[in-house]
């Protein structure tokens, strides 16, 4: 039984989705599917029921989860036991504040587990060796290593009239109380209805924005990952496709530090296998005209 397979299994169990588990573990979805299939073959039992929106753990998965989690944690502890006293490389990493907690945990855990790396987290605008940011925030003198892409959705109070729609257009948001998320990056979306937008509040964090939504203050346009697992708000699709690409931005004008080299190697080791679409390591060009650039 492979520890990596158990790690992937735990991610699927907690996320209830092969797609979200793959994003959390920074691997391709086929890698997750293969790991689960291998486990099911070895254990001689089915672990999940697959459906269109994700997976449902069976009783066998419920029984395996605490064992798998303990094995993974003990393996990590054993690995760390023999890494004491290793000289540490310092890595200062800037993090965009609108990232959801699950992805931040999955991104940083492999780094904090390394005994040869000391991690310092700063804001996305502070001086750093590298930044985890949306592509729209990358400057022309930075390289960009894509990590994931996620769409934007509307978060609504449970009793809001628009919950009667399964999805809606930009025009439906006109003259509706909105909660802007600090950068007001969806103002172009709301403005497409040709009517003035009503800003009920401006939230500095995703958690604060969703708390205001749950309280009934208004609607927020947020990355899909931040609403996962929330039962106190309603989520609806937006008719137009709104996405953001998130990745590692680092200077193209100076050689990477040892800590940054370690980070890049870690991310590339977890990248999807060849044959899937990869990003170019060239300075980022500006978004094409006509697209809504979101942060």
């Amino acid at each position: 039984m492979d520890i990596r397979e158990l790690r992937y299994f735990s991610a699927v169990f907690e996320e209830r989705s092969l797609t979200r588990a793959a994003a959390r573990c920074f691997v391709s979805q086929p890698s997750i599917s293969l790991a689960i299939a291998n486990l099911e073959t070895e254990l001689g039992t089915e672990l999940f029921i697959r459906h269109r929106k994700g997976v449902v753990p069976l009783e066998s998965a419920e029984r395996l989860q605490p064992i798998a989690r303990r094995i993974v944690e003990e393996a990590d502890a054993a690995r760390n036991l023999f890494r004491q006293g290793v000289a540490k490389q310092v890595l200062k990493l800037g993090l965009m504040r609108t990232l959801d907690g699950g992805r931040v945990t999955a991104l940083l855990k492999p780094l904090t587990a390394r005994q040869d790396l000391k991690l310092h987290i700063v804001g996305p605008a502070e001086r750093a060796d590298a930044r985890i940011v949306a592509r729209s925030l990358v400057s022309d003198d930075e390289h960009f290593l894509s990590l994931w892409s996620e769409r934007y959705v509307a978060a609504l109070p449970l009793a809001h009239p628009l919950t009667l729609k399964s999805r809606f257009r930009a025009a439906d948001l006109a003259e509706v109380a909105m909660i802007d998320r600090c950068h007001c990056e969806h103002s172009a979306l709301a403005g497409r209805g040709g009517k003035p937008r009503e800003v009920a509040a401006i939230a500095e964090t995703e958690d604060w924005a969703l708390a205001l939504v749950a309280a009934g203050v208004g609607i927020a346009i947020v990355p899909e990952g931040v609403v996962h697992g929330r039962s106190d708000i309603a989520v609806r699709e937006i008719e137009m496709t709104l996405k953001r690409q998130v990745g590692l931005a680092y200077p193209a004008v100076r050689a990477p530090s040892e800590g940054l080299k370690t980070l890049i190697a870690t991310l590339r080791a977890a990248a999807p296998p060849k044959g899937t679409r990869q990003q170019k390591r060239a300075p980022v060009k500006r978004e094409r005209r006509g697209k809504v650039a979101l942060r």
Side-chain angles (χ1 to χ4, degrees):
M1 189 174 296
D2 190 280
I3 291 179
R4 182 172 55 182
E5 292 175 351
L6 292 176
R7 197 184 299 275
Y8 292 171
F9 160 79
S10 288
V12 174
F13 184 92
E14 293 170 4
E15 296 290 341
R16 300 296 199 267
S17 166
L18 297 176
T19 302
R20 288 194 295 268
R24 169 173 159 176
C25 297
F26 299 99
V27 297
S28 64
Q29 185 171 326
S31 297
I32 297 288
S33 299
L34 179 60
I36 299 302
N38 288 343
L39 274 177
E40 290 178 330
T41 298
E42 184 171 356
L43 297 173
T45 184
E46 191 176 6
L47 296 171
F48 299 99
I49 296 177
R50 280 76 165 172
H51 58 83
R52 187 172 62 86
K53 293 186 177 181
V55 299
V56 176
L58 295 172
E59 182 185 359
S60 54
E62 298 281 356
R63 294 167 59 190
L64 177 61
Q65 169 62 1
I67 300 173
R69 185 171 53 204
R70 185 171 66 249
I71 291 174
V72 170
E73 289 174 352
E74 289 182 351
D76 290 341
R79 189 180 299 112
N80 293 335
L81 181 64
F82 296 97
R83 289 180 175 176
Q84 303 298 325
V86 177
K88 293 181 180 290
Q89 308 161 14
V90 177
L91 174 66
K92 186 177 287 187
L93 184 63
L95 282 186
M96 185 171 62
R97 293 184 178 89
T98 57
L99 300 176
D100 64 275
R103 279 202 169 102
V104 171
T105 299
L107 176 71
L108 299 184
K109 199 167 183 179
L111 300 176
T112 57
R114 297 184 65 107
Q115 294 300 310
D116 59 342
L117 191 67
K118 178 181 286 187
L119 193 62
H120 291 287
I121 303 298
V122 298
E126 297 182 53
R127 183 176 178 82
D129 296 301
R131 306 181 297 147
I132 304 295
V133 294
R135 188 181 181 96
S136 58
L137 293 177
V138 179
S139 63
D140 290 331
D141 60 353
E142 288 182 304
H143 289 311
F144 185 73
L145 179 64
S146 178
L147 297 178
W148 70 81
S149 177
E150 60 184 338
R151 64 178 181 168
Y152 280 72
V153 295
L156 304 87
L158 291 175
H160 198 284
L162 282 178
T163 59
L164 298 176
K165 291 176 172 279
S166 59
R167 57 189 300 175
F168 47 83
R169 301 167 298 166
D172 294 324
L173 299 177
E175 298 182 339
V176 173
M178 301 290 297
I179 298 169
D180 277 352
R181 296 165 38 258
C182 61
H183 298 296
C184 301
E185 71 274 14
H186 58 272
S187 58
L189 165 67
R192 290 188 180 189
K195 297 180 181 179
R197 51 189 275 105
E198 179 186 339
V199 180
I202 298 178
E204 294 186 358
T205 67
E206 306 300 276
D207 286 343
W208 184 235
L210 295 181
L212 295 177
V213 170
V217 176
I219 295 174
I221 308 300
V222 297
E224 186 177 25
V226 306
V227 296
H228 173 57
R230 296 286 301 236
S231 59
D232 55 346
I233 61 175
V235 179
R236 295 293 183 270
E237 295 182 2
I238 304 170
E239 194 169 272
M240 68 178 66
T241 301
L242 295 174
K243 289 186 177 181
R244 71 174 179 182
Q245 192 176 15
V246 179
L248 178 73
Y250 58 98
V253 295
R254 67 172 185 265
S257 65
E258 291 303 314
L260 178 54
K261 289 179 182 178
T262 299
L263 172 60
I264 294 173
T266 301
L267 294 178
R268 283 181 173 163
K274 292 182 179 180
T276 59
R277 188 172 63 180
Q278 298 288 332
Q279 85 297 330
K280 296 180 179 179
R281 287 190 59 208
V284 175
K285 295 182 179 180
R286 298 300 180 192
E287 301 286 345
R288 294 180 181 177
R289 187 183 305 173
K291 290 188 177 180
V292 180
L294 298 179
R295 297 178 181 178

